[in-house]
Amino acid sequence: MLTLTNEIEFTTWTWAQWQAAVVELLRADFTETLHHIGFDEVDWGSWRTFYNEGRTPRAAIDRALERDF
């Protein structure tokens, strides 16, 4: 099972595990607006770049939302 608090081992995550973590984090971050977001509602083509760069799910979200100053 994935643990979102321990991202040290994120490099061993498969693409599917990484995607699941992104969806879970988006739901947690935006409980009022995205709590119902479905896996198929995400443009994974855009997110794959972050995965390929080796970003953690949290770092990918921060970058996508331009929160990584």
Side-chain angles (χ1 to χ4, degrees), residues 23-58:
V23 170
E24 187 175 334
L25 286 169
L26 286 171
R27 287 176 179 160
D29 284 358
F30 301 98
T31 56
E32 304 229 351
T33 56
L34 295 178
H35 68 278
H36 65 281
I37 190 170
F39 184 84
D40 294 334
E41 296 176 275
V42 178
D43 176 9
W44 291 115
S46 298
W47 288 85
R48 183 68 189 226
T49 301
F50 300 134
Y51 175 80
N52 290 343
E53 290 173 352
R55 293 180 188 265
T56 64
R58 169 60 59 205

Side-chain angles (χ1 to χ4, degrees), residues 4 7 10 13 18 21-22 25 47 55-62:
L4 298 179
E7 295 193 65
F10 80 91
W13 290 5
W18 191 91
V22 167
L25 286 169
W47 288 85
R55 293 180 188 265
T56 64
R58 169 60 59 205
I61 291 169
D62 289 345

